Amino acid sequence: MEFLSDVTVELVRHNAADSDVVWAARVSTAGEQSLEAVHQDPERSRGLINYLMRDRHGSPFEHNSMTFFISAPILVFREFHRHRVGWCLPGDALIPVGPLTNGVNKKIKDIYADWHEGVHDSVGGVRELPSRRHPTTRTVNLDTGLIESARIADVFRSGIKPILKITTVHGKVLRCSPDHALLSRGAWVKAKDLAPADLISAQATVPAGESTGVPGPLREGVRDEEILSVVPDGEEETYDISMPGPWHNFIADGIVVHNSYNEESGRYRELQPVFYVPGRERRLVQQGKPGKYTFVEGDDEQYKLVTEAMEDSYRRSYEAYQEMLKAGIAREVARAVLPVGLFSSMYATCNARSLMHFLSLRTKDERATVPSFPQREIEMVAEKMEAIWAGLMPLTYAAFNAAGRVAP
Ligand SMILES: Cc1cc2nc3c(=O)[nH]c(=O)nc-3n(C[C@H](O)[C@H](O)[C@H](O)COP(=O)(O)OP(=O)(O)OC[C@H]3O[C@@H](n4cnc5c(N)ncnc54)[C@H](O)[C@@H]3O)c2cc1C
């Protein structure tokens, strides 16, 4: 059993620089020539970045991407996942729902409405959708290349975003936000990084044994389709679906797409006994009224109580988890006894605009014109993400602070 007082944040992959902001902004006035700004010295553009930030011209800050690996207690992820930023589909994107053999295509905005506003019953009334009735959709098993049925974990609205229209040579059309990831030659690639002649995975009928070399009956799977064109297609309200592990993908308009958070699965792997215990520097005692809390240090006795009570509780709940697994109980059932202090891990991908929004809410900083009062544990994650981002986009970072840490 391991007890940790700190969180881990690592930058796994990125495509984020101040010059990305500059070329995206200059397309308004310089058209195609703005691409020359990609390799320009962004110092020359400090004034432009400051202006965009101050006047809240937000979209130039979206043309970049950072993927973080985050290891933190589950209580952090419960707050983290409230941020629905980033990688989304317009409302008319068609998602297959229902049984594999007898499903129907439904617009993502209608799935959202059913989920959040209730399903119309047969006499035209509206009733609440029970959470256990999360609809099934399609996910690609990346080991076999075959399409399987999986329940949607969540569907959410992500705000108004620019849209790219991707057309394949076989006539499939996907419209999605530039940051939405598509499967291309086995790797997840952002829509904005795809170009004509690139290959993307699309739904197709394939022999079931293809991946193993032993041909089987025809099954729904995926095949590579060549892209014919990638063009901007306006701006509109966007949506996204969250899928459970291990694959975290779904099919939209016949094309394989990814969702934006990938968290370790307690259904597919045994959870490891790593738990959170606050360090001595974590202020333990809350004072004041809701919305006006301050936190002060606990005394030695309080720290001792917290440490012992947590460690004891963690030990007992993990023993109960193990006992159930040994008795043959499914991991997805047994995990119910594990507390929110259990460590989990995830990949979180975002662009600078969404990161700034996240930082404005999840850090407490004297430079903020709109102060926030985040829980310390998510703030520990946010501070580490901020330090990494500051190194990648120093001019944007300075402009964010100068503008009172308000996301554009
Ligand atoms: C200090 C603190 C305390 C909190 N306490 C609670 C609590 O007690 N209970 C609780 O339930 N939650 C709580 N939250 C969560 C909070 O209400 C938000 O859900 C969370 O911070 C995500 O913020 P967001 O919706 O602005 O971010 P994102 O989902 O990342 O959205 C970014 C921005 O996009 C736009 N946007 C996104 N989706 C929509 C949409 N559907 N419609 C219109 N615009 C959209 C909005 O401008 C939004 O600000 C707390 C958050 C903080 C920081």
Side-chain angles (χ1 to χ4, degrees), residues 79 82-85 112 157-159 237 357 361-362 372-375:
E79 295 184 352
R82 300 299 304 280
H83 295 272
R84 302 150 290 174
V85 283
Y112 175 88
R157 205 151 61 179
S158 311
E237 184 69 63
H357 182 76
L361 289 170
R362 301 301 181 179
S372 189
F373 302 92
Q375 165 143 1

Side-chain angles (χ1 to χ4, degrees), residues 291-295 360-364 371-376:
K292 282 197 169 178
Y293 291 130
T294 52
F295 289 83
S360 72
L361 289 170
R362 301 301 181 179
T363 60
K364 195 168 176 216
S372 189
F373 302 92
Q375 165 143 1
R376 179 60 195 145

Side-chain angles (χ1 to χ4, degrees), residues 74-95:
I74 288 171
L75 60 94
V76 167
F77 293 149
R78 284 187 65 173
E79 295 184 352
F80 211 126
H81 289 165
R82 300 299 304 280
H83 295 272
R84 302 150 290 174
V85 283
W87 318 268
C88 342
L89 302 168
D92 289 339
L94 289 175
I95 311 293

Side-chain angles (χ1 to χ4, degrees), residues 101-337:
T101 48
N102 190 22
V104 291
N105 279 325
K106 199 162 180 177
K107 290 180 182 175
I108 193 170
K109 66 181 176 193
D110 294 336
I111 299 176
Y112 175 88
D114 285 354
W115 189 292
H116 294 278
E117 292 152 25
V119 186
H120 288 273
D121 64 22
S122 52
V123 287
V126 170
R127 65 178 161 82
E128 194 103 325
L129 185 73
S131 59
R132 65 178 174 278
R133 297 210 33 216
H134 290 187
T136 52
T137 187
R138 313 284 176 269
T139 192
V140 180
N141 178 325
L142 297 178
D143 284 344
T144 62
L146 294 178
I147 287 176
E148 299 176 350
S149 176
R151 282 203 185 277
I152 293 173
D154 200 0
V155 54
F156 38 89
R157 205 151 61 179
S158 311
I160 292 174
K161 310 267 180 202
I163 300 292
L164 286 179
K165 181 177 173 185
I166 297 178
T167 308
T168 72
V169 291
H170 293 285
K172 289 205 173 68
V173 177
L174 175 72
R175 298 172 67 247
C176 62
S177 69
D179 278 325
H180 211 114
L182 280 63
L183 191 58
S184 176
R185 295 177 186 272
W188 292 105
V189 180
K190 302 279 177 197
K192 66 180 162 86
D193 297 328
L194 289 166
D198 283 346
L199 297 178
I200 51 173
S201 286
Q203 187 171 6
T205 305
V206 296
E210 210 168 53
S211 64
T212 58
V214 184
L218 289 180
R219 285 271 310 269
E220 279 303 297
V222 290
R223 70 164 179 218
D224 284 343
E225 282 195 21
E226 195 180 318
I227 293 179
L228 188 65
S229 63
V230 182
V231 291
D233 199 20
E235 281 196 346
E236 62 190 74
E237 184 69 63
T238 55
Y239 300 78
D240 200 7
I241 280 175
S242 177
M243 293 296 291
W247 309 119
H248 299 288
N249 66 58
F250 59 100
I251 307 280
D253 290 323
I255 291 172
V256 185
V257 298
H258 201 286
N259 54 208
S260 51
Y261 292 122
N262 275 358
E263 193 185 342
E264 180 181 342
S265 169
R267 294 186 69 194
Y268 299 100
R269 56 182 301 234
E270 186 176 326
L271 295 163
Q272 297 306 299
V274 183
F275 294 97
Y276 177 69
V277 176
R280 192 67 179 85
E281 66 293 339
R282 201 312 181 185
R283 293 177 175 179
L284 289 184
V285 180
Q286 179 178 308
Q287 295 177 339
K289 295 186 200 150
K292 282 197 169 178
Y293 291 130
T294 52
F295 289 83
V296 297
E297 297 219 339
D299 58 29
D300 287 346
E301 210 168 302
Q302 286 169 317
Y303 276 99
K304 186 164 174 287
L305 172 68
V306 167
T307 306
E308 289 177 1
M310 284 191 176
E311 291 187 4
D312 180 51
S313 167
Y314 292 153
R315 278 201 180 88
R316 280 190 280 128
S317 57
Y318 199 74
E319 273 167 28
Y321 175 65
Q322 287 288 311
E323 192 184 340
M324 284 189 269
L325 294 188
K326 280 186 195 125
I329 307 298
R331 289 182 290 262
E332 68 183 33
V333 176
R335 65 175 168 173
V337 292

Side-chain angles (χ1 to χ4, degrees), residues 327-400:
I329 307 298
R331 289 182 290 262
E332 68 183 33
V333 176
R335 65 175 168 173
V337 292
L338 295 173
V340 291
L342 181 77
F343 265 75
S344 185
S345 55
M346 70 167 180
Y347 292 113
T349 303
C350 63
N351 59 46
R353 187 184 192 184
S354 33
L355 183 60
M356 285 186 269
H357 182 76
F358 176 78
L359 295 177
S360 72
L361 289 170
R362 301 301 181 179
T363 60
K364 195 168 176 216
D365 193 297
E366 282 171 4
R367 292 164 291 186
T369 47
V370 185
S372 189
F373 302 92
Q375 165 143 1
R376 179 60 195 145
E377 284 72 20
I378 195 168
E379 188 181 34
M380 284 153 55
V381 172
E383 285 173 354
K384 289 178 191 243
M385 292 172 79
E386 178 168 345
I388 293 169
W389 172 59
L392 296 175
M393 302 179 75
L395 297 182
T396 307
Y397 179 61
F400 172 59

